[in-house]
Amino acid sequence: MPVTQTPSGPVWTRRTTTEQWASWAGWLAVAVLFVISWQVMNTNTIWSFVDDAPRQAGDLLSRSWPPRWSYVGNLWLPLWDTLNMATLGTLIGTILAVPTAFFAARNTTPSVAILRPVALFVIVASRSINSLIWALLLVAILGPGILAGIIAIALRSIGFIGKLLYEAIEEIDESQVEAIRATGAGGWQVLDYGIVPQVLPAFAGITVFRWDINIRESTILGLVGAGGIGLQLQSSLNVLAWSQVTVIFALILVTVIVSEWVSGKVRTAII
Amino acid sequence: MLRIDALDKRYKTGDHALKGVSFTVERGQVVGLIGPSGAGKSTLIRCINRLVESSRGKVLLNDVEITGMSGSGLRRMRRRIGMIFQEYALVERLTVMENVLSGRLGYVPFWRSFLRRYPQADVDKAFALLDRVGLTDHVDKRADALSGGQRQRVGIARALEQDPELLLVDEPTASLDPKTSRQIMRLICEVCRERQLPAIINIHDVSLAQMFVDRIIGLRAGEVVFDGPPDGLDHAALTEIYGEEDWNQMRAEKEEDARDEEDAAAFEATRRERMEGIA
């Protein structure tokens, strides 16, 4: 904290003069960025399209309403596929993520020089690619269908669960580990008594949260041919059957609400 | 019997924590290890069960050298040394029983500990110890549901469940109020006498140490500067260990603090009663 001595006693300010100037420069940069962005947005917009936007939106809404509720009968099987895709994908992802997380955590990795960087790379690689992109690649490799979706979800989940879990492992209270080690416990026993109980609530929370996210993601994987309700969405969009699209949206909404409710319940039950 | 011979510890950071410490602890003797913060008390007891590696010197428990052991030999040695910690170091999310049984980890194979299927003899021992420390009613509670004093009792039971030949105690009362501190110290010293256990207790509170232990070792900057009976710890010895300070005044303040704590506890009790009366 910058304190300056003046004849009338010490004066305290939040920032030094240099810091104050840096702060002003920062705000100026934000303002400039805003102006530039505004210009870019305006030059690349065809205003004649925007002008009739309200009419277009109204048109779309009138076509979407009333929803064709009878279509819901065709959706139960794809919805079931979607749920299976999310759940199996989360399961496989979790099974692969747990050892990866223990290899990546600084306090549990068996080899800092080799295994830890490898595990961290696996996590980063998995996280950097969206499940939709994974699905796109896998549909090309495995052909369209639910299997590509499951693997896409699993591959993306490894990074998410692995990262959050290894951070949880690194934050444990080492004194409990030390106490277990002092009893003469072996390596696996230290893991079982000293570390696992401490990360279990975090693990449960992370997994259920990822399952919840995966339900939402798996609804759109069908757009690239990976099965599930997204496939129905795609075909309805292709034939401009807006009243069916409304039904699909409604069903996705209900599914997501239910999955959030379930994951919330599970999390409070475990912690 | 524990023998420590010219024990030396230099950390990688360059701190010279122990400078040739040597002493012997006989069976059933309770030693209070005192000294200012940073004197090397924690390092010393952790060098004994090898949670910290010493740089030079030897530690022998019943004529077996601990320094230099590794792998399963080291684990078999550790299970004979019970340790009690400052912040209890219980596994917070496990039950009291699981925490006490974890004292047997060095004796049972992994599958038994993983499935929590300990031999009945171990469970009987755990029940007996929980009875001894006065926690019979809390067997099934999770460790984080207990108060500080109760947790430390679980810590004591866990250490005794190991059937130790030596007890290492690291600041057992630092997080406890004065009354509970005395109860815990009394309990530790009683069990040591019952079992003829040698013990080393790191402790900040000099008057508490004098009240309970058989022998006091004073450590300053990694060196033993006092070794003798508790009543031999006079003004000169305390100055040697801690540096210049008005020790008599400190003791008076200490008693005043204890009185304040008791007053506060009494106030708290009446307040709670009154609240319950209102409810």
Side-chain angles (χ1 to χ4, degrees), chain B:
Chain B
M1 189 186 88
L2 175 77
R3 193 152 73 85
I4 294 173
D5 193 16
L7 201 65
D8 213 86
K9 172 66 187 174
R10 195 186 278 276
Y11 282 103
K12 275 186 203 139
T13 51
D15 290 338
H16 202 171
L18 297 175
K19 298 169 187 160
V21 173
S22 302
F23 59 88
T24 309
V25 184
E26 301 295 337
R27 265 177 76 83
Q29 190 177 49
V30 178
V31 176
L33 193 61
I34 63 169
S37 304
K41 305 192 296 293
S42 269
T43 305
L44 176 57
I45 67 164
R46 279 172 172 73
C47 280
I48 295 172
N49 66 356
R50 300 271 306 278
L51 288 173
V52 169
E53 294 296 336
S54 53
S55 314
R56 248 180 300 131
K58 278 191 255 180
V59 177
L60 294 100
L61 181 61
N62 298 332
D63 296 324
V64 183
E65 192 178 333
I66 300 175
T67 34
M69 282 188 160
S70 64
S72 62
L74 176 61
R75 289 207 301 277
R76 269 198 296 279
M77 178 56 73
R78 274 186 185 152
R79 74 185 186 188
R80 292 161 55 198
I81 304 175
M83 191 159 177
I84 296 167
F85 295 83
Q86 174 176 354
E87 301 275 356
Y88 331 120
L90 301 179
V91 182
E92 299 283 320
R93 291 179 49 83
L94 295 184
T95 62
V96 168
M97 187 47 122
E98 283 173 297
N99 268 293
V100 176
L101 284 172
S102 70
R104 298 305 290 178
L105 285 176
Y107 293 88
V108 300
F110 175 70
W111 69 269
R112 273 191 182 276
S113 61
F114 182 72
L115 299 172
R116 310 295 197 257
R117 296 181 71 89
Y118 286 85
Q120 188 56 39
D122 292 354
V123 180
D124 291 342
K125 196 199 306 280
F127 273 120
L129 284 169
L130 284 170
D131 186 44
R132 174 68 185 82
V133 299
L135 288 177
T136 314
D137 299 337
H138 303 282
V139 176
D140 265 337
K141 277 192 189 157
R142 247 167 61 167
D144 54 11
L146 300 182
S147 70
Q150 290 171 328
R151 287 187 202 199
Q152 195 55 291
R153 286 165 192 275
V154 178
I156 294 169
R158 172 173 67 186
L160 295 177
E161 177 80 9
Q162 287 176 240
D163 281 330
E165 293 164 35
L166 169 69
L167 215 52
L168 302 174
V169 191
D170 191 14
E171 302 281 0
T173 61
S175 333
L176 300 173
D177 66 68
K179 185 162 173 237
T180 316
S181 293
R182 286 181 190 206
Q183 289 169 340
I184 291 291
M185 278 299 285
R186 190 173 297 124
L187 181 63
I188 293 174
C189 295
E190 273 172 13
V191 295
C192 286
R193 263 152 222 152
E194 283 165 19
R195 294 158 179 256
Q196 282 295 297
L197 261 180
I200 299 180
I201 306 180
N202 274 357
I203 188 158
H204 265 303
D205 191 330
V206 177
S207 43
L208 193 64
Q210 283 177 304
M211 216 181 297
F212 290 103
V213 304
D214 305 321
R215 171 182 167 193
I216 284 187
I217 293 179
L219 216 55
R220 195 188 63 193
E223 282 173 297
V224 176
V225 292
F226 177 86
D227 188 348
D231 42 8
L233 199 64
D234 51 17
H235 187 93
L238 282 171
T239 306
E240 174 72 26
I241 300 168
Y242 289 99
E244 195 59 55
E245 177 63 75
D246 188 345
W247 298 107
N248 290 324
Q249 191 203 333
M250 200 186 85
R251 266 178 218 175
E253 275 170 12
K254 182 95 211 158
E255 274 156 31
E256 211 169 282
D257 281 351
R259 262 201 306 281
D260 284 350
E261 290 260 7
E262 273 162 33
D263 287 349
F267 172 77
E268 190 60 25
T270 40
R271 191 188 64 95
R272 208 175 302 130
E273 261 168 40
R274 227 176 282 151
M275 292 299 278
E276 273 161 16
I278 293 166

Side-chain angles (χ1 to χ4, degrees), chain A residues 43-64:
Chain A
T43 51
N44 290 336
T45 306
I46 302 164
W47 287 105
S48 55
F49 280 105
V50 178
D51 287 340
D52 73 341
R55 202 176 57 77
Q56 292 289 352
D59 188 40
L60 202 66
L61 276 176
S62 71
R63 285 165 199 263
S64 321

